[in-house]
Amino acid sequence: MKVLVPIKRVVDYNVKVRVKADNTGVDLANVKMAMNPFCEIAVEEAVRLKEKGVVTEIVAVSIGPKTAQEQLRTAMALGADRSILVETDEDVQPLGIAKALKAIVDEEKPELVILGKQAIDGDNNQTGQMLAALTGMPQGTFASEVNVADGKVKVTREIDGGLQTVELNLPAVVTTDLRLNEPRYASLPNIMKAKKKPLDTKTAADLGVDLTPRVTTEKVEAPAERQAGIIVGSVDELVEKLKNEAKVI
């Protein structure tokens, strides 16, 4: 069984994001980039399925700049067999990404697509659902447990009311939540091996898709800084400040 794992290059989650001086976007100059954390979980789940003997091939794919090869090499160091980069300098958005992934799905014909439920930069939580709609595949979103057997995938989903389990016919789309697994670290030998694994580069034109953004960003601003808190000496002082300063009681 072949599994397709889309991944995204984002600002490392440990980095404090800065806004450009002209408020046109986020400053990416000399900023450490990394694989989106939810994508790491997707790669880990695909590798675990391969270790169980359920999966025979893992294909990682990314839509982004040439530098996204770094994250694809990381995915291969973690266990992906090969990877595909749809190279573009556009500020790709969920619909464009889903269309490009749909073209890849048509070519590769995977039985399962596992991707992160959202990226930590845009936080859109749209690509997986859009891909399922474009391909006509059933979808299991926000997965905290995935089991594949007998041509079906059983997905335990995290929902507001607790957990929901759905059973989907393959091929299917699954998006990962935080509690699905704990991603492993790539070992040095696997990092070296990843350099020799195949990485195919395509363009949007090769796939026949248009990645032009449909939404424009007018302005980006950093959130207002919160005032420091204070320590009060008694309950009476607290009540007085809530009543006369904060005016919440």
Side-chain angles (χ1 to χ4, degrees):
M1 185 173 92
K2 181 190 294 186
V3 173
L4 188 73
V5 185
I7 64 173
K8 187 176 184 183
R9 176 183 172 88
V10 299
V11 175
D12 188 278
Y13 70 91
N14 289 308
V15 173
K16 184 177 181 180
V17 175
R18 301 187 306 272
V19 176
K20 291 181 179 178
D22 59 3
N23 296 110
T24 58
V26 173
D27 186 3
L28 300 180
N30 301 316
V31 171
K32 182 183 178 183
M33 306 295 284
M35 189 192 307
N36 178 50
F38 288 101
C39 299
E40 290 183 338
I41 294 171
V43 173
E44 174 66 23
E45 192 63 21
V47 173
R48 291 189 183 190
L49 288 172
K50 187 176 181 181
E51 290 172 344
K52 292 177 182 177
V54 175
V55 169
T56 55
E57 184 181 26
I58 302 170
V59 182
V61 58
S62 188
I63 296 95
K66 186 175 182 179
T67 48
Q69 290 186 20
E70 179 184 350
Q71 281 64 51
L72 288 172
R73 293 292 180 195
T74 299
M76 290 190 287
L78 292 171
D81 299 290
R82 58 188 176 91
S83 58
I84 301 168
L85 173 63
V86 181
E87 190 174 331
T88 178
D89 290 324
E90 291 279 7
D91 180 19
V92 286
Q93 295 173 350
L95 181 58
I97 296 171
K99 287 181 176 180
L101 291 177
K102 197 265 184 185
I104 296 293
V105 166
D106 290 343
E107 286 185 3
E108 295 289 335
K109 294 180 171 50
E111 292 180 77
L112 186 61
V113 181
I114 305 179
L115 66 162
K117 70 172 184 177
Q118 66 194 75
I120 62 172
D121 51 2
D123 272 340
N124 291 303
N125 180 22
Q126 294 175 342
T127 302
Q129 292 89 328
M130 288 179 172
L131 176 61
L134 291 172
T135 59
M137 292 182 184
Q139 58 181 300
T141 54
F142 319 130
S144 62
E145 185 177 348
V146 175
N147 292 292
V148 181
D150 303 323
K152 298 180 184 294
V153 56
K154 188 175 290 186
V155 179
T156 300
R157 306 179 59 236
E158 297 195 357
I159 59 175
D160 290 342
L163 299 175
Q164 177 192 52
T165 300
V166 296
E167 188 174 71
L168 315 171
N169 292 322
L170 297 175
V173 174
V174 173
T175 71
T176 63
D177 216 323
L178 282 173
R179 280 154 290 278
L180 179 57
N181 60 52
E182 183 71 29
R184 70 192 68 190
Y185 291 100
S187 65
L188 182 58
N190 287 337
I191 292 172
M192 301 306 293
K193 290 177 184 177
K195 295 180 180 180
K196 297 181 180 180
K197 291 184 178 180
L199 194 163
D200 190 17
T201 301
K202 299 178 182 290
T203 64
D206 294 335
L207 301 176
V209 297
D210 180 11
L211 298 180
T212 303
R214 300 301 199 271
V215 178
T216 58
T217 301
E218 296 294 328
K219 188 177 182 181
V220 176
E221 292 182 335
E225 292 188 11
R226 296 177 60 182
Q227 293 183 342
I230 61 171
I231 298 176
V232 296
S234 65
V235 173
D236 290 339
E237 185 183 353
L238 172 62
V239 172
E240 188 274 330
K241 288 185 178 296
L242 289 175
K243 185 176 182 180
N244 298 319
E245 294 184 17
K247 298 186 185 303
V248 294
I249 60 173

